[in-house]
Amino acid sequence: MVVLVTGASGQLGQSLQFIAPNYPDIHFVFCDSTKLDITNLNNIKQLFKLFKPSFCINAAAYTAVDKAESEPEKAHLINVVGPKNLAEVCKEFDTILLHISTDFVFDGTKDSPYTEDDFPNPTCVYGQTKLDGEKAIKETWQKHFIIRTSWVYSQFGNNFMKTMLRLASERDKLSVVNDQIGTPTYAVDLAEVLIRIIQSPFTHHPSPNTFGIYNFSNEGQCSWYYFAKKIFEYNNIKINLEPIPSISFPTQAKRPTYSVLDKRNIKKVFGVEVKYWEESLKKI
């Protein structure tokens, strides 16, 4: 079984490379942006002709949330045109597409976990481009899994955990927002779930109802402040950490105040057991 992975140098791509040796039956083809530019349709077709993948995991994305406000065209190109190109080529080669989306498709005004059926209402350019990317896939190719996730971190790439650890080495005091609630998701746990979907009998003998959007994050919820507190606690770092409201830390992009995801569907369909975020954080 050939699985082609885009965005191989990002944190999800690196997490998939980290666990790949555990799955010797899968032939992974890892492509970073120099090998596969998802905005280039011909580039995608050439690689698909060469490798004939059964599955494509799209881990490539424009994820600079604040920068997207001043670079909407670039964000659109990578988050909308890219996924549409992949969906077109996947359709041509009958390849199942797994695409990563985000909690940022929601406005965060709800006070209970978001389901896959809740109405999306992005509040920033990044969230809008990710939603438009979902729509482009749905309109192009039926055999897709769109996985919405949240607050992804790992030992790889750039993320909140690594930023906190770096800042803690430079300062003795930090202020972190305490009124945005979500769920930290360990990228390696997300990678494992993608492999589970790929290996599922439901995927190999699917009904049309199997495909579509699924939520996945770790279990539990917290604020960014509490997440930072646990990062320092588990790394035995002593630092003066202060909780602050979002209004005291203005950003270019408006973020959802509450973006916890309901994971009942992915558990039910694929038998996924979801770890609590603190459990996964402790192990890094």
Side-chain angles (χ1 to χ4, degrees), residues 33-224:
S33 58
T34 61
K35 187 174 179 182
L36 174 54
D37 175 3
I38 64 169
T39 67
N40 184 325
L41 195 60
N42 287 331
N43 186 191
I44 300 169
K45 284 183 180 178
Q46 284 170 352
L47 277 171
F48 271 61
K49 276 178 191 166
L50 184 62
F51 294 108
K52 298 178 176 59
S54 305
F55 295 87
C56 173
I57 296 176
N58 182 29
Y62 182 107
T63 57
V65 176
D66 289 315
K67 211 173 174 186
E69 296 297 311
S70 56
E71 292 185 342
E73 296 87 0
K74 188 176 180 184
H76 177 86
L77 191 63
I78 298 168
N79 290 347
V80 186
V81 177
K84 187 178 193 306
N85 287 344
L86 284 169
E88 282 181 17
V89 180
C90 283
K91 184 176 183 180
E92 187 180 328
F93 285 83
D94 196 30
T95 300
I96 294 172
L97 176 61
L98 286 81
H99 172 76
I100 310 304
S101 193
T102 175
D103 57 326
F104 274 68
V105 300
F106 298 115
D107 59 18
T109 56
K110 204 179 171 193
D111 57 6
S112 60
Y114 280 95
T115 71
E116 292 86 350
D117 297 324
D118 279 322
F119 184 73
N121 186 31
T123 60
C124 63
V125 169
Y126 166 70
Q128 187 63 55
T129 60
K130 292 298 287 182
L131 179 62
D132 291 345
E134 289 183 8
K135 288 176 180 173
I137 289 169
K138 286 192 279 188
E139 288 166 4
T140 306
W141 178 223
Q142 178 222 345
K143 292 185 180 180
H144 67 262
F145 296 100
I146 294 168
I147 313 297
R148 288 175 177 161
T149 190
S150 66
W151 296 24
V152 179
Y153 72 93
S154 66
Q155 60 270 54
F156 310 110
N158 298 312
N159 57 71
F160 181 79
M161 180 189 79
K162 289 180 77 175
T163 299
M164 289 297 105
L165 293 173
R166 177 179 57 79
L167 290 174
S169 71
E170 300 167 357
R171 308 177 190 177
D172 53 14
K173 183 180 178 183
L174 275 176
S175 301
V176 180
V177 167
N178 197 36
D179 57 0
Q180 291 173 18
I181 306 298
T183 307
T185 303
Y186 182 35
V188 174
D189 291 342
L190 175 58
E192 292 281 8
V193 164
L194 297 175
I195 304 302
R196 186 171 184 103
I197 291 171
I198 284 168
Q199 292 184 324
S200 167
F202 290 107
T203 303
H204 292 272
H205 305 283
S207 70
N209 298 335
T210 309
F211 295 116
I213 297 174
Y214 291 87
N215 292 336
F216 177 79
S217 68
N218 283 116
E219 291 282 23
Q221 62 181 54
C222 64
S223 67
W224 288 109

